[in-house]
Amino acid sequence: MTGVWALLGALAVAGAIGVLLKVREGRISRRSSVDLPAPVRDLLVPGVTLVQLSTTFCAPCRHAKVILRDLADRTEGLSHAELDVTNLPDVAAALGVMRTPTTLALTAEGVEVLRVGGVPKRDSLLAALQPHLP
């Protein structure tokens, strides 16, 4: 009988962790500015740049790329760039990135407007970016 209770407890903990991860997926947050590493600074253009930090074998990164590229193509003053951090762990560490995809919205001066961990939700991302676009 003890084994059944242990199994039920493990399932409850796993379910709670799954719900927590699902709730945090695509959430928009803001961080204090940090000095941007050179590979990220090189991607910035006038307006707001959505810098997508990805890794080679990241399946959700492909979905995020489609959303971000489409959003940038349809929105004036917004551009999209992707940086593969598979071989750049120092860049990910300097930016405080713990998962991919992570998207940073950066001004041309390198100021972080917002960040999204996971696949962004198109409408909420556009709404959060509106005050920073022309």
Side-chain angles (χ1 to χ4, degrees), residues 50 52 64-73 80 103 120 125:
L50 298 173
Q52 177 186 342
K65 181 179 185 176
V66 170
I67 292 169
L68 296 173
R69 184 173 289 157
D70 179 61
L71 187 62
D73 288 346
H80 171 253
T103 304
L125 179 59

Side-chain angles (χ1 to χ4, degrees), residues 70-82:
D70 179 61
L71 187 62
D73 288 346
R74 296 173 185 249
T75 308
E76 183 183 343
L78 189 62
S79 62
H80 171 253
E82 185 176 13

Side-chain angles (χ1 to χ4, degrees), residues 42-62:
D42 295 342
L43 299 172
L44 302 181
V45 297
V48 175
T49 304
L50 298 173
V51 178
Q52 177 186 342
L53 303 170
S54 303
T55 52
T56 304
F57 299 105
C58 170
C61 294
R62 290 186 281 275

Side-chain angles (χ1 to χ4, degrees), residues 1-131:
M1 190 66 177
T2 304
V4 172
W5 288 112
L7 177 62
L8 289 175
L11 288 174
V13 169
I17 291 171
V19 168
L20 178 64
L21 291 175
K22 184 67 175 169
V23 168
R24 293 186 56 142
E25 177 74 20
R27 191 181 82 194
I28 297 172
S29 63
R30 288 163 178 75
R31 286 186 54 142
S32 60
S33 295
V34 296
D35 288 333
L36 294 177
V40 176
R41 272 195 320 268
D42 295 342
L43 299 172
L44 302 181
V45 297
V48 175
T49 304
L50 298 173
V51 178
Q52 177 186 342
L53 303 170
S54 303
T55 52
T56 304
F57 299 105
C58 170
C61 294
R62 290 186 281 275
H63 184 62
K65 181 179 185 176
V66 170
I67 292 169
L68 296 173
R69 184 173 289 157
D70 179 61
L71 187 62
D73 288 346
R74 296 173 185 249
T75 308
E76 183 183 343
L78 189 62
S79 62
H80 171 253
E82 185 176 13
L83 181 64
D84 187 335
V85 293
T86 303
N87 297 317
L88 301 171
D90 53 326
V91 171
L95 295 171
V97 172
M98 301 300 286
R99 66 186 284 196
T100 58
T102 292
T103 304
L104 307 176
L106 302 165
T107 65
E109 296 78 29
V111 176
E112 185 176 320
V113 174
L114 58 87
R115 72 173 48 205
V116 179
V119 178
K121 295 174 179 77
R122 187 184 193 288
D123 295 335
S124 59
L125 179 59
L126 184 57
L129 288 170
Q130 284 300 329

